[in-house]
Amino acid sequence: MQRTVAVLGGGVSGLAACYYLSRSPQAPKVILLESSSRLGGWISSTRTEDGAVFEHGPRGVRPAGNVGKNTLLMVSELGLESDVLPVPGDHPASKNRYLYVQGALHKLPSSIGGVVRTVPPFTRPLLWSGLKEIVAPRGSEPDETIHAFVNRRFGQEMADIVIDSLCRGVFAGDCRALSVRSCFPALFQAERTHRSVILGMALAGGKGAPLDSPLIRRAKEERWSQWSLRGGMQSLPEALEGFLKQRGVDIHRDAPVKQLERMASGSWRIMLEDGSIEADHVISALPAKALAASLPSWAEPLSHELLNIQAVSVAVVNLKYENVGLPVMGFGHLVPSFEDSSLLGIVYDSVAFPEQDGSSGPALRLTVMLGGAWFKPGLGDPDTVSHTVLLRCAKAAVKKHLGISSEPSRAIVKVQKACIPQYEIGHWKHIENAAAYLVQQKLPLSLIGASYEGVSVNDCISGARTAVVKLLGQS
């Protein structure tokens, strides 16, 4: 009899799991349960009448590494190649990234010259940080904060300015709380293996079988720093949904999971608002806390580990201006926490993807990111904060940082609640304990998604693939 696999959560992780399950030669019956009325999770794009695109979640995907190649492979298989908008290595959005420090924009060094000279906001050449790192002793702790790790190996300026800003850009999080072992495992491993991060990264080889396709080769040749899709990132979940429907995947929207129960046969009964579904195996792509809430009381040891995984909220303000220019050309700028804790950074969307500006004449699209780990103290409760207040903050930042004082012709404010999981110190232990519990109890349950091992779109898709390969026993 054909097995049934239920996938909980229709974000990119859940959709990818369904994709890999339904493509398998021994494909089981696949049921996808999504609590909301739309698929795609945090990937969400608004397309306006004039063809402009505004991203409220991930706005670009990096092609680097095997996880990046894996996503490009999926894009090709879904027939989206002609929609790919690449940002090649010689593009200003690839080369120019800025920090806003002490009231001014500073370009991060992208050449040897910038590393050997003293460039503001730094008080000495970054070369010294590199030399310090190569001779720094190996750490002995099983985990430490990203700030402590970088401070110890590269010095305080690097930790306070660069890494603080980077963690706000990637995780909307505080590098003084986030774990280096879980957030940047390659850096942690490089120090463990080679004593030096710089040497370790230089010597590191790719893991797994090399993936290849014409699109992967093109991304390498043109040195893409990132890519998007012509109709916005939402084109990816839309294409996945189309593929799953062709393959007969049973998709249920507005179907929040109330409770998981284990039956005498060993399979799961999934309780919904209007009935139940039975499945031999469950792949959960739900946020860790949402899964914990639906587990049976006897699985308390697992719930306990999952409830330790926090997430932060981000206010995303999309702005469009007519007939104004930027003072600099680049990907955007980040703001360290000591400068303005509730403003994470501003992305210059029009520089990387002018194709998404729309047909209404010269326009500038910006995205202002607010909140993250600093949401409540800086902006108030994500559940009740006024969109007017957030818009005012965003417009004030654009005026102060970029000198743009005109009113935007369009503004969209979204509060993405608990959207980015925070891998704090000891996160690895929660993941290890959860995995051990599943094995000990022989539970037919797989955990995937941003709560566990990587928050990027690439990590989510790759994690889904790994879980399906393990479940179906394919290489």
Side-chain angles (χ1 to χ4, degrees), residues 12 16 19-20 23 43 60-63 67-86 211-216 218-219 224 226-230 232-237 239-240 243 457-458 461:
V12 73
Y19 172 79
Y20 291 117
R23 288 180 81 235
I43 296 180
V61 180
R62 290 165 55 79
V67 291
K69 290 175 183 169
N70 182 58
T71 304
L72 286 175
L73 207 53
M74 173 186 272
V75 163
S76 298
E77 289 161 355
L78 289 168
L80 291 172
E81 269 188 39
S82 59
D83 291 331
V84 172
L85 301 177
L211 300 169
D212 189 41
S213 76
L215 193 62
I216 290 169
R218 191 182 147 205
W224 296 1
Q226 54 164 338
W227 57 268
S228 182
L229 295 164
R230 199 168 298 281
M233 286 304 300
Q234 200 170 309
S235 303
L236 181 58
L240 282 164
F243 179 89
V457 170
N458 286 332
I461 292 172

Side-chain angles (χ1 to χ4, degrees), residues 4-22 28-35 39 244 249-253 255-257 260 268 270 272 277-286 291 444-449 464 467-468 471:
T4 300
V5 177
V7 177
L8 315 183
V12 73
S13 302
L15 288 168
C18 292
Y19 172 79
Y20 291 117
L21 284 166
S22 63
K29 176 175 168 52
V30 183
I31 301 170
L32 175 63
L33 301 171
E34 164 56 40
S35 63
L39 300 177
L244 300 182
V249 172
D250 196 358
I251 300 173
H252 298 258
R253 287 180 170 77
V257 172
L260 289 172
W268 293 103
I270 303 159
L272 306 171
I277 283 172
E278 289 180 18
D280 301 297
H281 192 97
V282 165
I283 297 179
S284 172
L286 300 174
L291 174 60
L445 175 63
S446 308
L447 308 181
I448 63 170
V468 168
L471 174 61

Side-chain angles (χ1 to χ4, degrees), residues 61 69 104 151 180 207 232 283-284 290 343 367 437 442:
V61 180
K69 290 175 183 169
N151 189 10
V180 72
K207 279 190 279 220
I283 297 179
S284 172
L343 176 66
T367 304
Y437 181 82
K442 298 188 171 62

